[in-house]
Amino acid sequence: MPKVYAIDGFTPVVDPTAYVHPSAVLIGDVLIGPGAYIGPLASLRGDFGRIIVERGGNVQDCCVLHGGEQDDTIVDIDGHIGHGAILHGCHIGRNAMVGMNAVVMDGAVVGENSIVGAMAFVKAGLAIPPRSLVVGAPARVVRELSDADIAGKSRGTAMYHRLTQRSLGTLRAVDPLSRPEPGRRRFTPADVDPL
C-alpha cells in the first residue's frame, strides 16, 4: 500500500487499474488515472495545487511532482516521466516524454509527442511545440521529431503500460534468497515488451 495522506480535506484519488508502488508518497489533491504507473520513491505533493496523471501516464522512480495554486501539474495521456525528473506546475502533453533528471518549471507546456532530453532544464513559462526534441540548460528545441522517434518513445511507454499490469499481478514483498537458484532465468523481451 502506498503512503497516501490527506491534507485540508483533499484525499488522493487512484484509479483501481493504476499501480502505485508502496514506497511512493501521494499527498492531497492528487488524481491518478486508469492504467497509470507511479514508481518507487516517487513523491506527488498536492498540498499547494492539483497534480493529475492521466490514463497510461508513468511517473518513474524518485520523481517529484509539485506545484502552486495557480498551475496544475499535469501528465497527460501516455505521458512518460523518466527517473528522477522534477515537474513543478507544468503541463506535459499527450504522449510526451521528460527524460531522466530533467526539470520542468511552472507554467511550462511540453507539446504533444515531444521529448525533453535527460538533465534538461525547461524554464518557467516556456511553450514547447508538438513533436519537438528539447535539450540543454536552459532547454531549447533542436529539431522536430520523426515518426520513427515518436514510435520509439511510444514503445517505451507501452512497456510501462505492461509494467503496470505485471506489478498489479505479481509484485509482492518477499525475503531475499541467500544465493541464486540453479539455472536462474533472465527477463526476455516476451516478459517486458508488449509488442
Side-chain angles (χ1 to χ4, degrees):
M1 182 64 142
K3 294 163 179 60
V4 179
Y5 302 93
I7 188 169
D8 296 327
F10 289 98
T11 300
V13 177
V14 178
D15 186 276
T17 64
Y19 175 77
V20 180
H21 190 274
S23 67
V25 177
L26 309 179
I27 299 171
D29 195 6
V30 175
L31 307 173
I32 308 296
Y37 174 88
I38 309 299
L41 303 173
S43 175
L44 286 70
R45 281 186 43 219
D47 50 12
F48 289 2
R50 180 166 290 172
I51 296 171
I52 303 167
V53 179
E54 296 281 6
R55 178 176 46 83
N58 70 77
V59 176
Q60 298 171 21
D61 320 49
C62 302
C63 290
V64 175
L65 278 62
H66 193 242
E69 70 282 356
Q70 299 302 313
D71 295 305
D72 292 346
T73 303
I74 300 170
V75 176
D76 213 329
I77 295 169
D78 291 338
H80 187 109
I81 312 304
H83 314 290
I86 298 173
L87 307 182
H88 202 277
C90 58
H91 185 153
I92 309 305
R94 185 179 190 140
N95 201 44
M97 183 177 98
V98 175
M100 293 181 272
N101 291 310
V103 175
V104 184
M105 293 300 296
D106 302 87
V109 176
V110 176
E112 182 174 340
N113 294 314
S114 290
I115 295 175
V116 174
M119 299 184 70
F121 178 79
V122 178
K123 66 183 183 178
L126 184 64
I128 297 168
R131 298 182 65 106
S132 296
L133 176 61
V134 179
V135 300
R140 68 193 191 304
V141 174
V142 294
R143 68 175 173 87
E144 184 174 319
L145 293 172
S146 69
D147 290 343
D149 294 328
I150 294 168
K153 181 269 162 206
S154 295
R155 184 178 185 140
T157 300
M159 291 174 77
Y160 273 88
H161 293 165
R162 175 118 169 83
L163 181 58
T164 298
Q165 296 305 313
R166 292 170 53 215
S167 297
L168 286 169
T170 68
L171 189 96
R172 67 195 196 308
V174 297
D175 292 325
L177 301 174
S178 60
R179 67 183 68 79
E181 317 90 303
R184 184 179 176 98
R185 74 179 193 93
R186 298 183 66 90
F187 283 108
T188 67
D191 292 318
V192 299
D193 194 336
L195 305 174

